[in-house]
Amino acid sequence: MLKNPNQKIIKRMAWNNLKRNARKTITLLFAVVLASFLIFTIFTVGNSYFKLQKIQNIRMSGAEFDAILYGVTDEQKQLCEENPNITLTGTAGSCGWVEKTDKDSTPNVGLIWADDAYWTQMMAPVREKLEGTYPTAFNEIMVTKKALKECGYETLKVGDTFSMSYGTYDGIQTGNFKISGIWDGYGPKKIFYVSKEFYDKSGWKLSQAASGRYFIDFKQKFMTTKEQNAFIESMNLGKQQNIFFIAGLGNSVSLLAGLIGLVVVTCLCAYLLIYNILHLSVSGKVRYYGLLQTVGMTQKQIKQMLQKQMLIIGFIGIIVGCLLGVFVSFSLIPIVVKSLGIKENYVDSSMVCFHPTVLLATILLVGFTIFSASRKPVKMATAVSPIEALGYRSASKLKKTKRAGKSKVINRLCLEQLVKDKKRTTIVLFSLAASLSVYLCIVTMLDSQAARTIVSNNMDADIEIKNDTATKEHKKDRKDILDESIVTSIKDLDGVSEVHPVVFAEITVPWEPDFSDMWMKEFYEKWLTVPYSQEKEEYQNHPENFGSSLIGIDEQEFDFLNKNLEQPINKEEFLSGKTCIIYRNGLDLSNSDLIGSKVTCALHSDKQVTQTFTIGGVTDESYYTAILGYPPTIITSDQVVKNFANESITLKIGVKYTKEYDRNIEKEILKLLEANVNAKDFSWDSKIEEADEIKNAQGYMPQIGMGIVLILAFIGIMNYINTCVVNVQNRMTEFSIMESIGMTPRQLLLMLIKEGILYAGGVWMVTLTVGMGVTYVIYQSMNYRKVPFSIPLLAILVAAVVSFLVCIVVPAVTWLILEKNGSLVQRIKGIE
């Protein structure tokens, strides 16, 4: 056979074939456009996400750093300064708190000193406004409006002075302070920054973990857990020290893996759709490709013709997809940035700039997907000989005849159709399953990371109301402002379902050679710089100098706490006062070191009144704490506390609403508190307020996620629709013959519906097994908030209903439309 090298004819035939098969061409083009758009957008948004995440971490942390070391020695500072992977370090020291002012007796404001590197460089990105200068003299402070308001001095300005009592390592003192500056921005606001002179005289040292904060900014922005652990080991940490990496740096690798996973699934969906369309197209035109060879066209030229078709589709699809991606990136990302609450002057132009690497990666990935998907169908088209083509009939392979009862014929035909072409069935199943798996993954992420899911107070209370006087150092300053009348008033409100008070009494734990001695020794090693041996004698003779807390909880609180203990305890023994739970307070003591030991407590005001408990459980939950003294905090039944200590007061209450996130009932509660004479001494943590903050931070991210889900679902559904339409078209002759031998149109329709149900069932079988497993892995890799994995049942139910409807309706509607094209005889004559 002579070779015909006419390339112009091949190009013209390629174009004509694309025009002639417009529906398939458009479907292929859509697949390429959507794949290009998704990959381009995922990479662009992913790159922007990492930048946004960094800005968000800076905003939430109050400075730009990657890790924080609690307590730092001169040797460790030197190690970091000599480390080539560290670009900047800064130091801050917590040195006290505001005890009271003339305007407020319970301000919640801390005192911190910051060095020049931390204040001028690390904190620079979070400051929006700065008046004045950082304090240099002992009695100068840098403030925020929020901290001033907490102290009752919100009207003061730079240069004004006020008096306050403050606590340091050496005790409570009083002084007049001048406001040297006022700043505003992101991060903790209830802070007064003090001078280096103030810090040096506070009695604290940077080497103490309770005071020193050493901030580290690394050159590399992706650090694996192994690299983090290696750095921690190189720092030779003391017993009291800890290093914490921010979420962004610590989870960057897993987040990147999650984004790559989305790109892989996108490519897989596009691959399956392109492969399926080409495979069905080639299968239906075997005679055409074989006859082309009879008129002089070589196998190589047929291959070139098909490749040119895919090149044209790929070229147009990639350009359109990338342009669409550029448009979405430039228009959508700025909206996301603003919705996160980040000011425009903190977002540089590179946040939404076009990156050539993203375009190159998109072209390569989509090009490889098109090449891979078309390779086998092209090979199949070129392998057809002219002789085979002349005798080809578009019919199914003959199967062994089976006898079956009349009632089982339709079911048998449905099953045979599924297994007749295993490759096609597998492609359709996995295409839809891939789309549904991505849907499952993203809706699970969106639901689990939703504001209402992330926010969770103790016992899932809607609001926690605190008595700020309860944690005052001196007993005379404590007031039982959350008395029975307020608790009853809140209980009686319509819309409040539960109120759980936590009561508190100050106690001492007398020295004894077993438990208390072991506890105090470990406490001193963990938290204090002075050795236990220096103060052991004082503790033995004057335990009243070492106060602690006895916490009382009700039965429902106990059930909640006990459920979360590593080793649950007997309820009756706890409620009767035989056993107790202690707060571990970060000590390196295991449950076996503590459980079973006896602990005795005495009233702080009368050491003759004592009670002994058996330690039944250990908790690390700081919710059940008041005064964090040296001896352990003991948790028991509220009735036990009230019987033991007449001067016990209510520390806090947890309130649950009948309707979760009920804003109206919360307004009533806050109105009740604000009308109280002790209004300034109340504080609260509200799920509604926190959820609003998180929702504002998330912005349009849920909508973006659902947009990606819908596009991938569209690809999967298009694949199924295309397969079903072509399948029904190819089987019209078969259906007509079935009608001619007695099968009614109703039975044919029932058969197609059952086939659709089988397809849908197979899809969900794959989705709920393989898809669920992949979803869990991706979810955990991106779950830096450590939110428990849960599946949104409503979203899954909606997807199941839609997928079953699509699988049932598409083949049935296709047959109903094609069945009208000619009489039964004309349709049977459709055989070539």
Side-chain angles (χ1 to χ4, degrees), residues 317-534:
I318 291 174
I319 289 178
V320 174
C322 289
L323 288 175
L324 186 60
V326 169
F327 172 76
V328 169
S329 298
F330 273 91
S331 60
L332 189 60
I333 292 176
I335 295 174
V336 176
V337 173
K338 292 176 183 177
S339 72
L340 290 171
I342 301 171
K343 303 299 181 182
E344 291 181 2
N345 55 322
Y346 292 130
V347 184
D348 57 36
S349 58
S350 64
M351 181 64 66
V352 291
C353 71
F354 172 77
H355 204 294
T357 305
V358 172
L359 178 60
L360 180 62
T362 303
I363 293 172
L364 291 176
L365 282 171
V366 177
F368 178 75
T369 301
I370 295 171
F371 171 77
S372 301
S374 60
R375 189 173 61 88
K376 194 164 185 179
V378 169
K379 185 178 179 181
M380 184 175 68
T382 57
V384 179
S385 68
I387 302 299
E388 289 173 331
L390 289 173
Y392 176 80
R393 290 291 183 271
S394 181
S396 304
K397 295 179 181 179
L398 292 175
K399 298 290 181 180
K400 184 178 178 180
T401 303
K402 296 180 181 179
R403 292 183 176 274
K406 182 179 179 182
S407 61
K408 298 181 180 179
V409 170
I410 293 178
N411 293 340
R412 178 169 56 81
L413 289 173
C414 293
L415 289 172
E416 285 183 356
Q417 181 59 35
L418 244 67
V419 300
K420 187 183 299 181
D421 192 337
K422 296 183 178 65
K423 186 177 294 184
R424 181 178 62 193
T425 301
T426 301
I427 290 171
V428 175
L429 289 178
F430 274 93
S431 177
L432 265 179
S435 299
L436 285 172
S437 297
V438 174
Y439 171 85
L440 178 65
C441 181
I442 294 181
V443 296
T444 301
M445 286 290 296
L446 293 175
D447 181 75
S448 299
Q449 300 296 332
R452 295 191 174 199
T453 308
I454 294 172
V455 176
S456 180
N457 292 332
N458 186 68
M459 282 189 69
D460 204 26
D462 287 277
I463 190 170
E464 294 172 5
I465 304 170
K466 305 173 187 176
N467 173 1
D468 291 339
T469 70
T471 54
K472 285 289 186 180
E473 184 177 0
H474 301 294
K475 182 181 176 181
K476 62 182 178 63
D477 296 325
R478 302 175 197 146
K479 297 181 290 185
D480 192 18
I481 59 176
L482 275 174
D483 55 22
E484 189 64 30
S485 63
I486 289 185
V487 174
T488 302
S489 298
I490 294 174
K491 280 183 179 179
D492 291 342
L493 289 173
D494 289 334
V496 172
S497 62
E498 298 177 32
V499 178
H500 300 285
V502 176
V503 296
F504 152 73
E506 187 176 6
I507 58 169
T508 63
V509 178
W511 181 89
E512 47 84 20
D514 295 323
F515 169 74
S516 64
D517 190 63
M518 174 191 70
W519 177 277
M520 294 295 279
K521 182 179 180 181
E522 176 64 24
F523 183 88
Y524 272 75
E525 288 183 2
K526 181 69 176 179
W527 296 118
L528 301 180
T529 55
V530 296
Y532 174 53
S533 58
Q534 287 186 13

Side-chain angles (χ1 to χ4, degrees), residues 48-56 336-337 340 342 351:
S48 301
Y49 174 80
F50 284 114
K51 293 184 179 181
L52 285 171
Q53 183 192 50
K54 182 177 177 63
I55 291 177
Q56 289 300 102
V336 176
V337 173
L340 290 171
I342 301 171
M351 181 64 66

Side-chain angles (χ1 to χ4, degrees), residues 208-383:
Q208 295 172 279
S211 175
R213 304 289 183 267
Y214 194 61
F215 302 92
I216 305 167
D217 193 27
F218 290 95
K219 182 185 297 182
Q220 61 192 106
K221 299 309 173 187
F222 296 90
M223 287 189 75
T224 63
T225 303
K226 184 178 179 181
E227 290 173 325
Q228 292 177 27
N229 291 335
F231 175 76
I232 292 172
E233 189 175 345
S234 71
M235 291 295 286
N236 301 316
L237 299 181
K239 186 178 180 66
Q240 299 179 2
Q241 293 180 299
N242 276 303
I243 292 180
F244 297 98
F245 289 83
I246 63 170
L249 187 75
N251 296 279
S252 294
V253 175
S254 58
L255 288 169
L256 181 62
L259 291 173
I260 292 174
L262 289 176
V263 170
V264 170
V265 172
T266 302
C267 291
L268 176 63
C269 289
Y271 170 88
L272 291 173
L273 180 55
I274 294 169
Y275 174 84
N276 197 32
I277 294 172
L278 287 178
H279 183 271
L280 291 171
S281 177
V282 171
S283 297
K285 299 176 69 177
V286 168
R287 287 173 57 82
Y288 171 74
Y289 295 118
L291 292 172
L292 285 178
Q293 295 184 53
T294 64
V295 296
M297 198 169 196
T298 64
Q299 292 181 347
K300 184 178 180 181
Q301 289 171 334
I302 293 175
K303 182 178 180 181
Q304 289 175 348
M305 181 184 70
L306 291 173
Q307 287 175 340
K308 287 183 187 300
Q309 290 179 20
M310 293 314 301
L311 185 63
I312 293 168
I313 290 172
F315 180 76
I316 297 173
I318 291 174
I319 289 178
V320 174
C322 289
L323 288 175
L324 186 60
V326 169
F327 172 76
V328 169
S329 298
F330 273 91
S331 60
L332 189 60
I333 292 176
I335 295 174
V336 176
V337 173
K338 292 176 183 177
S339 72
L340 290 171
I342 301 171
K343 303 299 181 182
E344 291 181 2
N345 55 322
Y346 292 130
V347 184
D348 57 36
S349 58
S350 64
M351 181 64 66
V352 291
C353 71
F354 172 77
H355 204 294
T357 305
V358 172
L359 178 60
L360 180 62
T362 303
I363 293 172
L364 291 176
L365 282 171
V366 177
F368 178 75
T369 301
I370 295 171
F371 171 77
S372 301
S374 60
R375 189 173 61 88
K376 194 164 185 179
V378 169
K379 185 178 179 181
M380 184 175 68
T382 57

Side-chain angles (χ1 to χ4, degrees), residues 47-285:
N47 181 49
S48 301
Y49 174 80
F50 284 114
K51 293 184 179 181
L52 285 171
Q53 183 192 50
K54 182 177 177 63
I55 291 177
Q56 289 300 102
N57 285 328
I58 292 171
R59 167 185 152 183
M60 294 176 69
S61 303
E64 183 176 4
F65 60 89
D66 294 320
I68 180 173
L69 168 62
Y70 281 67
V72 59
T73 64
D74 292 336
E75 293 79 9
Q76 290 167 337
K77 280 186 177 181
Q78 186 176 354
L79 280 173
C80 290
E81 289 168 0
E82 294 174 353
N83 190 328
N85 294 322
I86 295 176
T87 57
L88 182 65
T89 60
T91 309
S94 177
C95 52
W97 67 95
V98 179
E99 178 70 13
K100 65 179 180 178
T101 69
D102 295 337
K103 302 288 186 180
D104 197 317
S105 61
T106 57
N108 183 22
V109 177
L111 303 177
I112 292 179
W113 163 74
D115 72 354
D116 185 66
Y118 182 70
W119 176 258
T120 61
Q121 297 183 65
M122 290 186 164
M123 284 189 64
V126 305
R127 280 198 296 270
E128 289 186 308
K129 185 175 68 173
L130 178 61
E131 297 178 40
T133 59
Y134 192 85
T136 56
F138 177 85
N139 66 336
E140 291 181 338
I141 55 173
M142 171 67 70
V143 304
T144 65
K145 286 292 185 182
K146 190 169 186 177
L148 284 176
K149 184 177 181 181
E150 187 75 11
C151 295
Y153 293 120
E154 58 265 34
T155 60
L156 297 185
K157 300 177 181 178
V158 175
D160 292 340
T161 60
F162 66 94
S163 176
M164 69 179 182
S165 294
Y166 58 92
T168 65
Y169 190 84
D170 298 326
I172 305 297
Q173 303 173 51
T174 301
N176 292 317
F177 289 85
K178 179 182 178 181
I179 299 174
S180 66
I182 300 177
W183 74 277
D184 195 12
Y186 299 115
K189 300 287 188 63
K190 295 182 181 181
I191 290 173
F192 288 160
Y193 283 95
V194 299
S195 64
K196 181 69 164 62
E197 182 183 356
F198 184 98
Y199 182 80
D200 291 339
K201 292 180 179 180
S202 69
W204 289 100
K205 296 180 180 179
L206 293 174
S207 58
Q208 295 172 279
S211 175
R213 304 289 183 267
Y214 194 61
F215 302 92
I216 305 167
D217 193 27
F218 290 95
K219 182 185 297 182
Q220 61 192 106
K221 299 309 173 187
F222 296 90
M223 287 189 75
T224 63
T225 303
K226 184 178 179 181
E227 290 173 325
Q228 292 177 27
N229 291 335
F231 175 76
I232 292 172
E233 189 175 345
S234 71
M235 291 295 286
N236 301 316
L237 299 181
K239 186 178 180 66
Q240 299 179 2
Q241 293 180 299
N242 276 303
I243 292 180
F244 297 98
F245 289 83
I246 63 170
L249 187 75
N251 296 279
S252 294
V253 175
S254 58
L255 288 169
L256 181 62
L259 291 173
I260 292 174
L262 289 176
V263 170
V264 170
V265 172
T266 302
C267 291
L268 176 63
C269 289
Y271 170 88
L272 291 173
L273 180 55
I274 294 169
Y275 174 84
N276 197 32
I277 294 172
L278 287 178
H279 183 271
L280 291 171
S281 177
V282 171
S283 297
K285 299 176 69 177

Side-chain angles (χ1 to χ4, degrees), residues 640-696:
V640 172
V641 176
K642 291 175 181 178
N643 294 335
F644 176 70
N646 292 328
E647 69 271 24
S648 63
I649 62 176
T650 301
L651 175 67
K652 62 181 75 172
I653 59 173
V655 183
K656 277 189 176 182
Y657 305 151
T658 305
K659 180 183 176 183
E660 195 175 17
Y661 294 95
D662 190 333
R663 294 180 183 272
N664 293 327
I665 191 63
E666 183 153 306
K667 286 179 182 178
E668 291 186 42
I669 292 174
L670 296 182
K671 186 178 179 181
L672 189 151
L673 294 177
E674 289 165 358
N676 192 278
V677 293
N678 299 300
K680 289 188 176 181
D681 295 324
F682 292 120
S683 63
W684 54 83
D685 292 327
S686 165
K687 280 176 64 174
I688 293 176
E689 292 177 2
E690 190 175 350
D692 287 343
E693 291 178 7
I694 295 174
K695 189 175 181 180
N696 289 335

